[in-house]
Amino acid sequence: MKIYISGLYSGTNPQPGIGIARSLRAAYPGATLVGVEYSNRCSGIHWQDFDEIVLHRPWDELNLDAHAREIKRVLESGALWVSSIDLEIMWFASLFPGGHPNLLTPSLAALNQVGKPAIPAHEYLPVKIPTFVTTELSDWDLHAFCREHDWKVWLKGPYYEAVRVHGWGGFQDMRSVLSSAWATEKLFLQSHVSGYEESISFSAYQGELLDCIRMRKRDLTELSKTWAGDVSEVEEEMLVPLREMIRRINWTGGAELEMVRDADNQLWLLEVNPRFPAWIHGATITGRNIPAALVEGASGVKAEESVATGEEFTRVVLEIPVRSEFPLSPLPEPFGGGIGHSLKHPSGLLQFANRLHKLDFDNGQVSNGNGSKSKNQPTIVPETFVDDLKEIDFSDMQTPASLFLKNTAADYFARAAALSKELSTDEIEVINAYSFKTNPDERLIKLAHDSGFFAEAISLLEVKKALAAGFKPEQIILNGPAKWWRRETLPDASFYTIFCDSIEELNRVIAEVESGELKTEFLGVRLRTPNIRSRFGIAIDTPETFEELLETVKRIPEECKFGVHFHMASANVGVGQWWHLFESILRWCGSIEALSGRLIEILDVGGGWFPEDLGRNSGEKFRKAIEMIPEFLPNVKRIFSEPGKALAQPSMAVAMQILEIRGQNDGWREVVVDGSIAELPMYFFYPHRILCQDANGGGWKSLNRGKTQLLGRLCMEHDIVASNVELPSTAEVGDILVFCDAGAYDRSMSYVFGRG
Amino acid sequence: MYLDAAKPAKETVVETNGNGFHKPAAVYEKWQDWYASEISHHGAMCCEIAREWITSTDFSELGGASILTGPRWLRLKFNWGASSFPIYWCEAVRKKTLDCGALAALASAIFTARGVKNYRVQMVQRFSEASTNQWSNSWNDTSEQLRWMNDDLIYHEGCAIAAGDGEIKIWDPSAGWWVDPKSKDGYGGLLAVRLSAFNLPADVNFTWGKHSLSAYQWTNIN
Ligand SMILES: Cc1ncc(COP(=O)(O)O)c(C=O)c1O
Ligand SMILES: [Zn+2]
């Protein structure tokens, strides 16, 4: 019997070839095992169990037609082939659409049933699939997905590779790295599931399950790959549906179901690999030789009895002699000034993936994430954006220019006012306090005032501005670590509330209230709860600090009422985390009220929402939250929120003009504009929707992603205001581009640079 | 583990192993009369503040995860080491080190505050004489403290939570992991376990992996 085994890479993220060879050697001592590789850098070619090594040129050099003929010849000669290279398996599926009796890999139809990330075949199994979206969605929607999943998301390639996404800038960088590596935009984002990893490995022949086992990872590599594990029977609840699934999709070959079991004992299916796992010999050690079952099932040749030598397995590192016929190659030169030798994917798998794309064979079928939006949809902007732009005369405009979107601003403020009214109950009044610092533009302040908002100020200069704009002192909330800065402007009036940022400040304010120097209806604290990284608020992360807080709160003069404030931007930490923090604060407040004896009568939940996250669909969530409050804090009468960017961000845009359009290179093009990151300092933190006008100067439409980089006017390397957009083919020098969503910190933190 | 309380424990039942052979109770004999450790309360604000701090901190540390998640954060706050008993809430939360019994008592209070039904767990684990000699040297304050060791065996405490349908999971708060019901004899292996809880009737049985455990009774695991 002759068995070809391909995929012998054996680093810390190994292919299973060696494990398969060891297992088959144990089962078939007399068989001829042929190791197949595409790079002599895959160290598995030196493994002793191979009787022969067939070393091909790397995939990028290989003549695929000739290679296909060779494989057919091998199979026709009666030899079996077990592949452990995912891409090779896909290619085989295209070469043998109906399979071949000696080819122990799944058919194209079967592969499609287990394609990431949707894994249609999961329907048969008692598992769930973590939520995902294709990265073909607009940036705006992708950012929303990350917020919704607390930025605990993975960016995954079509075949291999998964990287944790940290923030919007990191996401953009990794997307461009993976997209260019795999030559596709078809990546996907998938939410993280926390728990313990376990796998099922099975072998099947023409739809019949031959054997399967379950493996729990007991030690991991840095990449979370198995280093040690225990092996047990697949439980009946899984085995029965698994057998059915294999029958329905008519599987042939080895396979691994990679899963996570969460704290509630739910299994989440991450991937189905169309091959044995690299740890497969670990199962053989426990007496379950899954590769042997496959060969026996396919060939009818009885395997030697498996002997268990343990119930658990682990890996070690081994040095073995290099086969003399395959001496080591020299190391490539480090790139000039570079660090390291850049040795990824020695067998040219990336290039192979690209060749498969070009052959128009593509199994990486990424569907659109739980069925929501369709691909390549342009970003949607609110109608009011376009209405507002229609009213603006661009003809004599000095660009870059900040545009006030009047109707949009009015609409957002009106909606926020309506929401707070809607959320208010007989017991609890919900009130907005506009965060002045977010954008102190007078038009926005007037909208806030006219909508019945309070003013949230972080300095006495902001207080002064609020008073000048018509806010009464008893509508002012004072916050922040340096609220007494420019003390000479302190008004002789009573504030609504002062939230102290430290114990020291609380002590000082108590003294000043007692002496009559300061007047305020409420005196409260901003809390910094454990497990939150923040420089603000009073930390309560030790019993000592908590006790000190309680002691100080007890000393707040009777004439002041007491309240608590927290702020953590849900736009940064994610919506789920924000809600958890909210509940956590309710518990802390309950403890503080009970232990200090001071009633908490106002709760200020801060700002930090992305506009869409405070939008209409969150109303229900907020309503439930308000209902929860009396359970923990029966004395709360008013809830404040301090929206800034939720209202200001959409209310302004930046108009810029195209200065130069450069030639194309491989589809990529650079375009210079007169705007810059000085007008869009938040460019790196969230996507901005960009609008351009039709060729005939008509309607506005948003730009899709594409291969144009918009370079800002500043002489600074990082001044790129869009890294991958698609300009209309008719775009010309002098055309106006409007960057939306620039009304919050883009406006207030913009800076003057390069203007002489 | 040291306990000053040495009240008589519930009746002892002779265990048999899977083959029906009589299995000596010797592994847990030394700790037959030990009760699961408790954290005492002064009945005053000092202890109340400490307890509120632990349970509120726990909710913050949970980070939105399932309430069935083990409170591993306790071991970031407290090193594992000798504690002396009785220990009060207001003392315990200020300690740099706590022993397995104090950590288990905290974990139990935490699960209770989360609304998760839980039980106290006493365990006998095998390590090695080399390990117990090491511990003897580092826990050398009083010979009393060494009563938790017996040759290569140690007494250990944890906390079980109800995981549906009479099933339990056992959290080891000193290690920060769930004890494997398939635990084998050998270094670190679990040999015997006993469950108890306030107000728990004596005739309750639990399933833990393939094991069946009766309340208040030591069960040999290996
Ligand atoms: C205390 C407080 N309230 C409100 C805000 C407003 O936040 P945003 O503009 O992100 O909504 C901030 C911003 O940092 C803040 O620190
Ligand atoms: Zn006390």
Side-chain angles (χ1 to χ4, degrees), chain A residues 130-349:
Chain A
T131 319
F132 61 88
V133 287
T134 164
T135 56
E136 290 173 305
L137 294 186
S138 71
D139 282 2
W140 192 254
D141 290 332
L142 295 174
H143 191 262
F145 180 84
C146 293
R147 294 196 310 274
E148 185 185 339
H149 295 282
D150 296 340
W151 290 94
K152 287 177 193 152
V153 293
W154 294 86
L155 178 62
K156 298 188 175 180
Y159 312 111
Y160 311 105
E161 291 202 89
V163 288
R164 189 50 218 287
V165 168
H166 296 279
W168 184 244
F171 164 73
Q172 283 185 300
D173 291 347
M174 286 321 301
R175 174 173 65 187
S176 96
V177 168
L178 290 193
S179 283
S180 80
W182 296 104
T184 177
E185 279 267 309
K186 282 188 183 176
L187 312 173
F188 61 97
L189 274 174
Q190 191 160 36
S191 67
H192 176 77
V193 178
S194 190
Y196 293 88
E197 288 181 69
E198 61 182 68
S199 288
I200 288 174
S201 181
F202 67 82
S203 54
Y205 189 66
Q206 298 179 347
E208 280 309 310
L209 174 65
L210 299 165
D211 199 3
C212 65
I213 50 92
R214 167 181 179 224
M215 190 280 295
R216 297 187 301 172
K217 295 188 184 182
R218 299 291 292 270
D219 259 312
L220 308 169
T221 68
E222 293 81 352
L223 287 178
S224 224
K225 304 288 172 186
T226 306
W227 192 259
D230 64 34
V231 174
S232 57
E233 289 294 341
V234 175
E235 283 168 357
E236 207 58 21
E237 307 93 86
M238 180 61 97
L239 183 59
V240 173
L242 180 66
R243 183 173 285 122
E244 175 66 12
M245 178 194 95
I246 289 166
R247 196 166 286 145
R248 294 284 189 97
I249 67 176
N250 195 23
W251 193 267
T252 288
E256 179 190 21
L257 275 57
E258 288 192 66
M259 300 176 288
V260 170
R261 190 180 290 275
D262 70 15
D264 298 316
N265 213 27
Q266 172 67 48
L267 276 175
W268 297 83
L269 181 61
L270 305 182
E271 268 182 51
V272 177
N273 296 316
R275 50 165 171 81
F276 292 113
W279 49 264
I280 194 66
H281 192 62
T284 303
I285 285 170
T286 69
R288 297 294 284 278
N289 194 331
I290 311 288
L294 176 60
V295 169
E296 188 177 297
S299 67
V301 181
K302 192 103 189 71
E304 297 267 318
E305 194 82 28
S306 294
V307 187
T309 48
E311 291 166 55
E312 302 175 331
F313 67 86
T314 188
R315 287 180 170 165
V316 296
V317 175
L318 282 180
E319 284 74 29
I320 61 168
V322 163
R323 287 178 193 254
S324 57
E325 64 271 37
F326 297 112
L328 301 176
S329 297
L331 265 179
E333 182 84 339
F335 289 107
I339 294 176
H341 298 271
S342 305
L343 279 172
K344 267 186 136 184
H345 296 293
S347 60
L349 279 175

Side-chain angles (χ1 to χ4, degrees), chain A residues 435 437-438 456 479 526 565 567 606-609 642-646 745:
Chain A
S435 160
K437 70 186 158 302
T438 306
E456 190 250 343
N479 258 331
R526 175 166 176 173
H565 165 58
H567 165 90
W609 288 284
E642 299 173 348
K645 64 173 164 275
Y745 300 96

Side-chain angles (χ1 to χ4, degrees), chain B residues 42 46-47 90:
Chain B
H42 280 123
C46 53
C47 284
C90 59

Side-chain angles (χ1 to χ4, degrees), chain A residues 216 540 547 577 584 588 591, chain B residues 52-53 60 63 66 94 180:
Chain A
R216 297 187 301 172
I540 41 179
E547 200 165 337
Q577 276 304 304
S584 160
W588 279 105
S591 299
Chain B
E52 286 287 321
W53 182 81
S60 295
S66 161
R94 286 173 170 76
D180 189 357

Side-chain angles (χ1 to χ4, degrees), chain B residues 40-50 88-91 94:
Chain B
S40 311
H41 199 293
H42 280 123
M45 270 326 237
C46 53
C47 284
E48 206 45 37
I49 291 171
Y88 289 84
W89 276 97
C90 59
E91 298 163 358
R94 286 173 170 76

